[in-house]
Amino acid sequence: MLITTEDYGMTKNKLLIIDNDVSLTQQYKDTLGLKYELVFEQTTSHALNTAMTNPPYAVLLDLEPQNVDGFEVLHQFAANAKTNGLPIIVTSLNTSDDARTQAYKLGAIGFISKPIQFQNLVVDFEGFFTHINQYLT
């Protein structure tokens, strides 16, 4: 079955960023914000609600959020009918093979190591989105 952005009510250029490190907000705006509409959430409960009510094109998820394990968030997104299938790219200070493997097993489509190299972030996202578009169109 072909899944399209219309199936999820997605706005193609909207990114949901789940990261409790507010010091990164301006850097996201200065890079990704030039090309995409950014929606920021610091708590995972708000993020899940935001994704259900106003689905983004993709999610950027910090695996070390403040109030819950990031892997649990991946599981919650996958278990919810309204968010299952949303492309999720994770960021993490933990770059171990185990962390990467677990993130991909739980549905992440990409992994970006922290500290984030913001000068490369748009190029990284374009690569992820090229991959996503192969399946959505």
Side-chain angles (χ1 to χ4, degrees):
M1 176 178 142
L2 179 65
I3 298 173
T4 66
T5 54
E6 290 79 26
D7 293 329
Y8 284 100
M10 291 181 198
T11 302
K12 196 166 190 174
N13 293 326
K14 185 182 297 179
L15 301 178
L16 173 59
I17 299 176
I18 307 166
D19 196 325
N20 65 332
D21 186 349
V22 295
S23 69
L24 298 178
T25 301
Q26 190 59 49
Q27 290 175 292
Y28 284 126
K29 287 178 180 178
D30 291 344
T31 53
L32 294 175
L34 298 175
K35 198 159 183 140
Y36 305 102
E37 176 186 349
L38 306 180
V39 177
F40 294 93
E41 290 291 354
Q42 293 178 9
T43 64
T44 55
S45 58
H46 286 117
L48 188 59
N49 186 51
T50 297
M52 288 188 305
T53 58
N54 193 3
Y57 180 61
V59 177
L60 181 63
L61 169 66
D62 178 14
L63 286 180
E64 293 91 16
Q66 211 167 36
N67 60 338
V68 71
D69 183 314
F71 295 113
E72 177 59 27
V73 176
L74 280 170
H75 177 74
Q76 290 173 4
F77 270 76
N80 186 299
K82 291 185 177 182
T83 57
N84 182 12
L86 283 176
I88 300 176
I89 300 161
V90 298
T91 64
S92 182
L93 286 168
N94 181 356
T95 60
S96 70
D97 289 341
D98 289 342
R100 288 176 183 271
T101 300
Q102 186 175 1
Y104 286 121
K105 282 183 179 178
L106 290 170
I109 64 149
F111 193 105
I112 298 174
S113 301
K114 282 188 168 183
I116 295 171
Q117 301 300 312
F118 281 92
Q119 69 272 18
N120 300 325
L121 195 56
V122 172
V123 173
D124 291 340
F125 264 74
E126 290 301 315
F128 294 134
F129 290 157
T130 297
H131 178 75
I132 292 168
N133 285 329
Q134 291 173 354
Y135 296 99
L136 293 179
T137 58

